Amino acid sequence: MKRSKDFATEDLIHSSEQFLEELGDVDSITEEFTGQAEERISNAVRQRFISSEDAVLDIEIDGYVEITVSEDEMKAEANFYPPSEGRKPIDVYDVENALQSKGVVHGIDWDVIKKAIFQCNTEQVPITDVLIASGTKPIHEIPEHLIVEETLLSQKKSLDLESIRVDFRQKSPFVLVKKGDVLARLFPKQEGVQGATILGKALPYSSEKASKIEPGNNTEKEEDRIVASCDGRFEHNNRSFWVNEVLTLERDIDYRTGNIDFPGDVIINGQIKDGFTVNSGGSVYCNTTMDASEVISAKDLVVRLGLIGRQTGRVKVGGTLKAKFIENCYVEATDSVIVDVGILNSAVHAGNKVELQKKGIIVGGTIHAQNGVVATQLGTAMGPKTEIYCGTNFPVEQKLQWIRDKNVEIAFKLKQVERKLASGSEGREKILELQQKLKAALHKLNEAAGSLIFQLDRNEEAEIVVRDRVFPGVYIEICHVSYIVSHSMRSVSFRLDKAKGKIVPEPLSLKERIV
Amino acid sequence: MDKKILVIDDERLILDAVETILEDFGYQVECFENPFEGEREAIENNYDLILVDVRMPDRNGAEVTQAILKAKPDATVLIITAHPTHPLAKKALDVGAKALLKKPFEISKVLDFLRD
């Protein structure tokens, strides 16, 4: 109260002095009553009126409250004024009366009101602009609808600055999902609820239109979610979303596509630019020539034209590989390798067979085919060395070869250690300790080799069939038994004669030649 | 394992490596740098497997193989060579060697031929 009174008094003094100053001018104005003078008088009178109002504050009054209702009738604000000294403070009834007089009946926040009253009365200060009542907005009715996961929609567009510093070959523009990934969430129907203004006027709700996007292929409903029913590429438009098991690349695989790492089938209609890799969880179909830097296909690989490996090209196929030709390429296929025209200077490993069609030739390189090779021609008159290995499991051979390499290294080291010990070098104890470690490592590797040898899966029935001609110098091995072709032969097959432990060439029957 | 292996190679390093590795498997391994001495040993004693280097001074692997198999036609001789299509390797195969081992040796083939 004191603070309020002091303020009013100071204001009064100030306004009064100003008034008196202006009043002194009035005499002169009466002589020349112009529009300008009229305005000055008006201002003076107005100022006096205002001052008079302020002067009222000095009058002893009870505490009171002023309430303002917004134009949209959705809120009411109040100013709480404290009483003069000794006068009645504001109470809840005052506010009730004030609200009643304004017609406010809905959304009244009595907690806020009581708090404001308490503060105003105890601190003796005006509390202004207090929101004391709010209208209730209607809740609009929304039908059941799906909302696609934001992360799926934003993946394609996002480009973080960090990517500027990383290998763009690793960046994929495709949104890939795994089986079970959440694609969208189902939101149930939201019932409409009527609202009200603070004056109690009802506000009806409306019915909103929700997105009508529908789940498409390779999606399934799981409770309130739509999930991917297979691994693949997430795709969508305004009406639907789905998972595509097949990735079709119309253009080249380059910096625009990045390396391809796709869980399903991949169809390549362009070229694979140098240094870019393809990794498919399904099959890969290439409609042109494939320049393979590194292609890994969990299932089959079909190349309509040739498979060219350059020097470092590596192709790994979980199923069958079919191509028109293979050149300068390292190939591993779990099943067969089927080629139309020829395999040139390549290292081809097939878990089953290597089969060349009617005019198919194998020239240069090495062919490992556990269950045999069929070709029209093997080697050339002057060409590079051609080696054919059949009957054994190549991955096991590879592991045994790795063990061999390590063992040879260890054996050389052991010899060095022995020489040191024999020469009486210093640190004998340490050298002895090293010797024990090396021997232990060698023994461990040999144990592994001893187990692997039983997994070699010898196929003693594997044969190499040459429909037309095999040239001298071609090296053939079936179940580790060696044979070098010494002279040109026609229409011949090479089989292992188990009794003799030798490879024997036999002429093909007419039927075999045609097949 | 009581199987016996004879290795004839003029390169001491190869002999040492093969001996160290195969002995760890439990095989009895005899090594000869001199092809004549090795050949004599092969003829005078019985071995389950004989490994012969194809290129040696004074007497090549094909000649050694031929001499051994002439005396012991049932012996299993494998040829150690850097190049499977080397003419001497072919000659050794022609005279009865079973297989070629790429240098220094191929553990898979050795173990495979020693399998019961």
Side-chain angles (χ1 to χ4, degrees), chain A residues 2 7 15 81 83 91 101 114 124 164 168 227 245 274 314 342 356 377 453 459 472 493:
Chain A
K2 208 170 185 82
F7 172 76
S15 60
Y81 294 100
D91 60 28
S101 69
K114 285 171 186 171
Q124 291 292 301
I164 292 166
F168 272 97
V227 300
E245 283 181 288
D274 196 25
R314 290 177 69 86
L356 283 96
Q377 180 184 316
I453 200 71
N459 178 6
S493 77

Side-chain angles (χ1 to χ4, degrees), chain A residues 219-511:
Chain A
T219 64
E220 59 191 15
K221 194 178 172 193
E222 260 184 18
E223 296 172 355
D224 62 342
R225 298 166 301 176
I226 304 295
V227 300
S229 60
C230 67
D231 293 354
R233 178 185 180 183
F234 173 80
E235 294 179 73
H236 68 99
N237 57 28
N238 291 335
R239 297 184 303 278
S240 182
F241 61 91
W242 62 94
V243 177
N244 202 337
E245 283 181 288
V246 179
L247 175 64
T248 303
L249 298 156
E250 298 296 347
R251 293 176 167 181
D252 294 346
I253 295 171
D254 54 20
Y255 282 100
R256 282 176 299 185
T257 64
N259 289 332
I260 303 301
D261 190 351
F262 187 68
D265 295 345
V266 177
I267 297 172
I268 303 166
N269 290 321
Q271 304 281 326
I272 302 175
K273 294 295 180 189
D274 196 25
F276 285 87
T277 63
V278 176
N279 188 349
S280 160
S283 295
V284 175
Y285 303 89
C286 182
N287 279 320
T288 61
T289 299
M290 179 183 267
D291 285 327
S293 290
E294 184 179 298
V295 176
I296 298 171
S297 171
K299 293 180 182 172
D300 297 339
L301 168 63
V302 178
V303 184
R304 199 169 65 82
L305 298 179
L307 180 60
I308 300 172
R310 305 190 190 283
Q311 284 182 344
T312 55
R314 290 177 69 86
V315 174
K316 285 190 177 182
V317 182
T320 298
L321 164 61
K322 289 182 183 176
K324 195 159 192 175
F325 65 88
I326 300 174
E327 188 179 321
N328 292 321
C329 199
Y330 178 93
V331 173
E332 282 181 29
T334 304
D335 203 334
S336 292
V337 173
I338 300 167
V339 175
D340 284 345
V341 179
I343 300 176
L344 312 172
N345 294 320
S346 296
V348 175
H349 308 91
N352 192 4
K353 288 186 174 183
V354 170
E355 294 180 49
L356 283 96
Q357 305 303 312
K358 271 187 180 177
K359 293 180 181 175
I361 63 169
I362 298 175
V363 176
T366 58
I367 308 291
H368 285 83
Q370 188 165 352
N371 297 326
V373 173
V374 180
T376 298
Q377 180 184 316
L378 281 188
T380 56
M382 302 293 287
K385 300 284 184 280
T386 307
E387 298 172 20
I388 314 286
Y389 299 83
C390 293
T392 52
N393 182 329
F394 177 71
V396 174
E397 290 268 18
Q398 271 185 320
K399 287 176 190 169
L400 285 165
Q401 197 170 321
W402 181 86
I403 289 173
R404 188 276 314 266
D405 291 344
K406 298 297 164 198
N407 272 351
V408 168
E409 275 181 52
I410 292 172
F412 287 155
K413 286 187 193 306
L414 275 169
K415 281 293 163 193
Q416 287 174 315
V417 165
E418 279 173 21
R419 279 198 289 274
K420 290 243 178 246
L421 289 170
S423 67
S425 300
E426 288 180 6
R428 184 176 171 78
E429 281 185 13
K430 281 193 174 179
I431 298 171
L432 281 169
E433 193 183 333
L434 174 64
Q435 188 183 37
Q436 289 309 311
K437 283 182 183 172
L438 288 169
K439 281 184 176 175
L442 180 77
H443 189 68
K444 201 173 176 183
L445 286 169
N446 278 345
E447 278 184 335
S451 303
L452 282 169
I453 200 71
F454 293 102
Q455 297 173 28
L456 263 180
D457 291 328
R458 288 161 60 102
N459 178 6
E460 292 175 342
E461 303 301 322
E463 62 176 333
I464 294 142
V465 175
V466 185
R467 294 190 197 94
D468 184 25
R469 194 171 178 189
V470 54
F471 284 86
V474 171
Y475 177 76
I476 290 171
E477 203 175 279
I478 301 174
C479 293
H480 288 152
V481 175
S482 304
Y483 183 90
I484 298 174
V485 177
S486 57
H487 58 278
S488 181
M489 288 184 259
R490 283 188 180 274
S491 302
V492 67
S493 77
F494 297 88
R495 295 189 177 91
L496 178 65
D497 183 329
K498 284 175 265 183
K500 293 179 183 168
K502 280 186 171 183
I503 291 173
V504 181
E506 291 175 354
L508 291 182
S509 65
L510 185 62
K511 188 181 170 186

Side-chain angles (χ1 to χ4, degrees), chain A residues 18 23 41 85 117 195 239:
Chain A
Q18 198 174 5
L23 199 60
I41 290 166
E85 195 172 349
I117 291 170
R239 297 184 303 278

